[in-house]
Amino acid sequence: SLLLFLVVFILTLDYIKNRRPVSFPPGPWALPIVGNIFTVDHSRTHESMTQLSERYGDVYSLRMGQKWMVVLNRFEVLKEALVTQGDGFADRPDLPLVDDVAHGQGVAFSNGNVWKQHRRFALSTLKYFGFGKKSLEPVILGEFAHCAKYICNNKGRPFNPHLIVNNAVSNIICSLVFGHRFDYGDEKFMKLMKWFDKALRIQGSLWAQLYNSFPLMMRCLPGPHQTFLQILKDLKDFTREELKKHKQNWDPSDLRDYIDCYLNEIQTNEGKADSSFDEENLIMSVLDLFAAGSETTATTLRWAFLYMAKYPEIQAKVQAEIDCVIGQSKQPSTEDRPSLPYTDAVIHEVQRISNIVPLSLPHVTTRDIQLGGYTIPKGVTIIPNLTSVLFDKNEWETPYTFNPGHFLNEEGKFVKRAAFIPFSAGKRVCLGENLARMELFLFFTSFNAALHLLHACRGEACNRISFWHYTGTAAI
Ligand code: HEM
């Protein structure tokens, strides 16, 4: 009877503590203790969450363990929340797995003053290296040359593009942050790539969800979450080593990369009471740029390969446009983009349909909010469901079909679409958007432009489909 009393006591306590707040968005019935953890299919979370919106509306709630969250669906709702009421949705929630690594530092998972200062600094530094005097354009084109060499060395044999694309894109972040690239065979670099790959997998797993819902218990248990914490510690140590080297020959009159610029920022803000620029924040910012900027861009490029393999007639049109506008005598440049409307539309459509950050990153309400007729109290986790926008049949003519026509008007000119939000929107919109768009454009056009070279390397008759076929099918 003591056991029965205990069970009834725990269930009553759980009911009182976790009751759905008054005027809160509706949602599925939540089990005691675990809430809706098992309502959502974690192998296809974004689809599962989009399906729930058909039943419970564009603004609905779920309880994950002891925490309430609100899922936002469709363009108008996301715009109202992230843009119109942007201040009220600007913060990140406590995510124990991330917090145990980031400790509120860096840019992607910080809040308040630390976030504001680091976001402003990151944006201006990315602008400086992205498009100013120290533009990354030649770095990206140079990196492509290494890819092309690697592909040629395969002498026409099929190969998996996963590694080469990930290496190339990560090397852009290395050049930006550390001021140098790595050879693809470099042991340190290969270890770095493996660590990131593994950490990202664990971060997206049910283990991470359990850790975030029951941190006290999970901290004591073995499992992949412990591997995640160890990897992040190793990555921080790796970055610390690079920082040490930078400090040895740092010259404020010649800022070579992100770390140099950050060291300059530390010095400029020395003695200011509200400055959050220090070495621990620097290390976390560097990891943020790697985590947010490598896998995202590389995955999009791999989807591009896959779609070009699946739709050879579209690839042929892209290549014909590039051949006609750029030709064989020069390398592509971002300045060519306005003259390549079809290619631009294909890249946008790849981003829309591949939907690689389907639930964006979580936000949290910074005050009590009125949205869609409901009240969301301060401190509730918000999930912006980008899938519900990128696949909305009211926004796209053929949402589930690869159709570059979504971004072209009747005269074949490129048209922007408001519902194209793979980078999210508002105060926390992806801060690497411009760099990512530049990388996607330059890598994608370079691959297409170089097809002649690649086929020549293979020593075979020009068969433009086969390259995409090899790489595209391997990309699956
Ligand atoms: C945040 C998408 C590439 C750096 C985000 C978010 C999305 C996103 C959806 C969350 C926004 C939100 O919370 O509302 C993408 C996609 C990319 C890409 C689709 C490539 C195709 C990059 C690159 C970088 C980068 C290349 C940096 C070099 C960041 C950072 C944040 C972020 C630092 C956190 C911003 C903040 O919290 O203020 N990205 N991203 N991303 N992204 Fe990207």
Side-chain angles (χ1 to χ4, degrees):
S1 62
L2 180 69
L3 188 70
L4 185 70
F5 171 76
L6 225 94
V7 171
V8 172
F9 178 73
I10 290 173
L11 290 182
T12 314
L13 204 72
D14 180 78
Y15 174 75
I16 294 170
K17 185 169 169 273
N18 293 321
R19 256 178 314 177
R20 197 180 293 272
V22 182
S23 306
F24 202 57
W29 185 73
L31 285 169
I33 319 289
V34 292
N36 295 110
I37 282 193
F38 300 108
T39 310
V40 176
D41 177 351
H42 292 274
S43 65
R44 36 182 284 280
T45 315
H46 59 293
E47 285 167 4
S48 183
M49 285 191 172
T50 307
Q51 270 166 12
L52 285 170
S53 76
E54 280 157 24
R55 180 136 182 228
Y56 297 100
D58 291 347
V59 183
Y60 73 85
S61 61
L62 293 171
R63 181 159 64 76
M64 291 298 173
Q66 305 292 296
K67 261 192 192 157
W68 281 106
M69 57 172 60
V70 169
V71 185
L72 305 184
N73 301 273
R74 321 278 168 228
F75 179 68
E76 288 308 327
V77 169
L78 262 78
K79 192 173 138 207
E80 165 70 21
L82 302 183
V83 181
T84 314
Q85 302 200 55
D87 281 331
F89 290 87
D91 278 0
R92 297 272 183 234
D94 296 336
L95 291 169
L97 189 60
V98 175
D99 295 344
D100 284 358
V101 174
H103 308 293
Q105 293 161 338
V107 60
F109 290 97
S110 59
N111 285 323
N113 199 33
V114 176
W115 170 67
K116 272 193 193 130
Q117 292 184 348
H118 280 78
R119 185 165 169 109
R120 202 179 314 124
F121 169 77
L123 280 171
S124 64
T125 310
L126 279 174
K127 196 168 168 203
Y128 177 62
F129 285 111
F131 307 94
K133 227 172 38 189
K134 297 223 171 189
S135 167
L136 281 170
E137 182 156 332
V139 176
I140 297 169
L141 293 171
E143 196 57 45
F144 172 74
H146 289 282
C147 283
K149 203 166 134 209
Y150 177 92
I151 295 168
C152 283
N153 284 345
N154 273 290
K155 299 209 166 50
R157 288 186 299 270
F159 67 96
N160 187 339
H162 190 131
L163 200 66
I164 178 89
V165 170
N166 278 38
N167 286 353
V169 170
S170 299
N171 253 338
I172 305 301
I173 306 283
C174 287
S175 302
L176 168 74
V177 173
F178 301 140
H180 64 86
R181 66 179 296 279
F182 289 90
D183 279 339
Y184 297 154
D186 186 292
E187 240 174 68
K188 250 190 192 175
F189 185 58
M190 290 202 297
K191 212 156 64 178
L192 198 70
M193 294 293 92
K194 238 189 226 158
W195 282 341
F196 267 111
D197 198 48
K198 205 162 180 185
L200 280 169
R201 268 171 222 266
I202 300 170
Q203 204 185 14
S205 70
L206 182 62
W207 286 95
Q209 186 66 60
L210 286 171
Y211 194 101
N212 288 333
S213 302
F214 307 103
L216 290 179
M217 182 181 79
M218 295 300 284
R219 274 186 197 118
C220 309
L221 293 178
H225 51 286
Q226 302 294 358
T227 314
F228 175 87
L229 295 172
Q230 184 57 47
I231 290 176
L232 267 291
K233 194 178 157 297
D234 293 341
L235 284 167
K236 281 189 172 185
D237 289 344
F238 179 90
T239 312
R240 224 166 254 127
E241 277 297 307
E242 285 283 342
L243 172 59
K244 209 163 118 191
K245 280 186 228 156
H246 273 70
K247 279 165 71 179
Q248 279 161 5
N249 49 16
W250 177 65
D251 173 3
S253 66
D254 176 26
L255 301 175
R256 299 156 297 181
D257 51 43
Y258 198 90
I259 293 186
D260 270 2
C261 291
Y262 197 104
L263 289 172
N264 193 48
E265 200 68 20
I266 295 181
Q267 198 180 61
T268 314
N269 287 283
E270 219 166 48
K272 288 190 191 156
D274 72 337
S275 168
S276 58
F277 293 102
D278 60 30
E279 289 186 11
E280 286 310 303
N281 269 297
L282 161 56
I283 287 166
M284 204 52 228
S285 305
V286 166
L287 292 194
D288 283 340
L289 292 182
F290 268 104
S294 298
E295 186 67 26
T296 43
T297 315
T299 305
T300 310
L301 275 170
R302 298 206 311 272
W303 278 107
F305 285 2
L306 181 61
Y307 279 104
M308 292 306 95
K310 191 163 186 315
Y311 298 105
E313 67 288 356
I314 294 179
Q315 192 278 319
K317 268 180 96 170
V318 168
Q319 196 178 351
E321 187 181 64
I322 293 171
D323 279 352
C324 171
V325 173
I326 301 175
Q328 292 296 305
S329 56
K330 72 174 190 86
Q331 282 189 298
S333 146
T334 41
E335 283 169 12
D336 296 320
R337 191 196 285 267
S339 323
L340 296 167
Y342 190 77
T343 306
D344 208 7
V346 166
I347 297 172
H348 278 73
E349 182 64 355
V350 166
Q351 276 207 273
R352 183 193 72 79
I353 206 162
S354 61
N355 182 26
I356 57 148
V357 196
L359 297 171
S360 188
L361 290 181
H363 291 228
V364 72
T365 43
T366 59
R367 53 177 161 81
D368 291 358
I369 298 273
Q370 298 297 321
L371 186 74
Y374 304 109
T375 305
I376 309 174
K378 177 178 172 176
V380 170
T381 298
I382 300 294
I383 306 291
N385 184 359
L386 303 186
T387 308
S388 70
V389 182
L390 296 174
F391 289 83
D392 187 346
K393 60 181 182 326
N394 298 317
E395 302 285 352
W396 309 97
E397 294 72 32
T398 58
Y400 292 95
T401 305
F402 185 76
N403 173 9
H406 285 141
F407 297 93
L408 293 167
N409 68 11
E410 276 161 15
E411 289 106 58
K413 293 218 170 86
F414 179 81
V415 277
K416 278 190 181 162
R417 300 288 297 263
F420 177 74
I421 55 164
F423 297 102
S424 188
K427 305 247 169 219
R428 286 275 183 169
V429 65
C430 173
L431 70 75
E433 174 172 354
N434 285 332
L435 174 60
R437 282 164 48 74
M438 178 163 148
E439 286 185 65
L440 291 175
F441 179 78
L442 290 175
F443 273 122
F444 185 71
T445 47
S446 296
F447 268 111
N448 277 281
L451 278 185
H452 298 297
L453 164 77
L454 297 171
H455 291 303
C457 291
R458 293 174 60 202
E460 290 174 18
C462 181
N463 171 359
R464 62 161 52 105
I465 300 168
S466 56
F467 167 76
W468 298 105
H469 189 70
Y470 287 145
T471 54
T473 42
I476 306 169

